[in-house]
Amino acid sequence: MITEGKVASIEEIFMEGLRIREPQIVDALLPDLQEEVININLVQKQTDAGEKSRFKAVVAVGNRDGYIGLGSGKAKQVRTAIEKAAVNARLNVVPVRRGCGSWECGCGRPHSVQFRIEGKCGGVRIVFIPSPRGLGIVASEAAKVILGLAGVKDCWTRSYGSTRTVPSFAYAVFDALKNTYSLVTPVDWVR
Ligand SMILES: [Zn+2]
């Protein structure tokens, strides 16, 4: 649909409720996409043939301007696991609603989140709270990287549960970012 010129922007994909089925679509529509490896684990499993070990990678992609994706991939080699995770992250790209939700700031620019939002994954829960401009992201490293890729520059965070489990923590952050649009209609976010 893109090569035929039917879809001209990433906003259209979400407006039309289309699903992203190929990672190349994301690269074509978001040319400034950046990638960060969030976590790599060695996963060991007992099988009939003995012990089998694989790497599990979690990768985030974002354009630092309102789009974020998170994905994971498993493989025998680290590099392949990262590549699979990067493809998966592209297929999961979503828009992030940003704003200046801080009553102390009121600048009106999209540097923080618009309101208090929550995300969950497994035993981890995270809350983002709008903060004034220039504060930076007050969070652990993985959350800083993901919020940075999403284009959120200032934010307070609170997290609960087993936050040291980086993959669950990263998915909780991603869940919260997805929730930035759950309270509004698509018409709101084309602005
Ligand atoms: Zn502000």
Side-chain angles (χ1 to χ4, degrees):
M1 284 177 95
I2 288 169
T3 47
E4 288 170 30
K6 283 185 189 160
V7 176
S9 70
I10 191 114
E11 287 84 2
E12 270 184 71
I13 291 191
F14 294 101
M15 278 287 287
E16 305 283 326
L18 302 171
R19 279 207 60 188
I20 299 172
R21 289 199 177 83
E22 290 162 37
Q24 293 87 340
I25 293 175
V26 179
D27 288 312
L29 297 178
L30 293 175
D32 298 326
L33 205 68
Q34 294 175 18
E35 221 175 274
E36 296 274 359
V37 177
I38 302 297
N39 193 61
I40 295 170
N41 267 347
L42 182 64
V43 187
Q44 277 168 328
K45 206 169 99 182
Q46 286 294 336
T47 65
D48 295 339
E51 206 167 70
K52 196 177 156 191
S53 54
R54 294 173 96 192
F55 291 96
K56 188 188 173 194
V58 177
V59 168
V61 296
N63 69 343
R64 298 195 180 277
D65 194 19
Y67 283 94
I68 188 75
L70 191 73
S72 56
K74 275 186 203 168
K76 279 184 202 160
Q77 286 174 327
V78 175
R79 199 203 282 176
T80 318
I82 292 172
E83 283 168 7
K84 283 185 179 176
V87 167
N88 187 233
R90 280 169 171 76
L91 299 177
N92 290 333
V93 159
V94 290
V96 177
R97 184 181 170 91
R98 296 166 298 159
C100 169
S102 169
W103 56 269
E104 296 158 85
C105 183
C107 74
R109 298 185 203 181
H111 62 95
S112 188
V113 286
Q114 195 120 34
F115 14 65
R116 185 191 151 100
I117 42 161
E118 264 189 58
K120 275 182 203 168
C121 178
V124 184
R125 186 163 70 91
I126 188 153
V127 180
F128 296 160
I129 301 147
S131 78
R133 204 145 67 99
L135 182 100
I137 296 163
V138 183
S140 71
E141 196 51 39
K144 272 187 191 173
V145 171
I146 298 169
L147 285 164
L149 282 172
V152 176
K153 294 185 182 72
D154 308 292
C155 188
W156 274 304
T157 61
R158 278 193 204 131
S159 50
Y160 310 87
S162 42
T163 53
R164 283 189 203 166
T165 317
V166 178
S168 297
F169 181 75
Y171 275 95
V173 169
F174 184 48
D175 185 49
L177 289 172
K178 283 198 265 187
N179 287 340
T180 58
Y181 268 118
S182 65
L183 299 172
V184 291
T185 61
V187 179
D188 279 325
W189 52 259
V190 283
R191 285 187 293 145

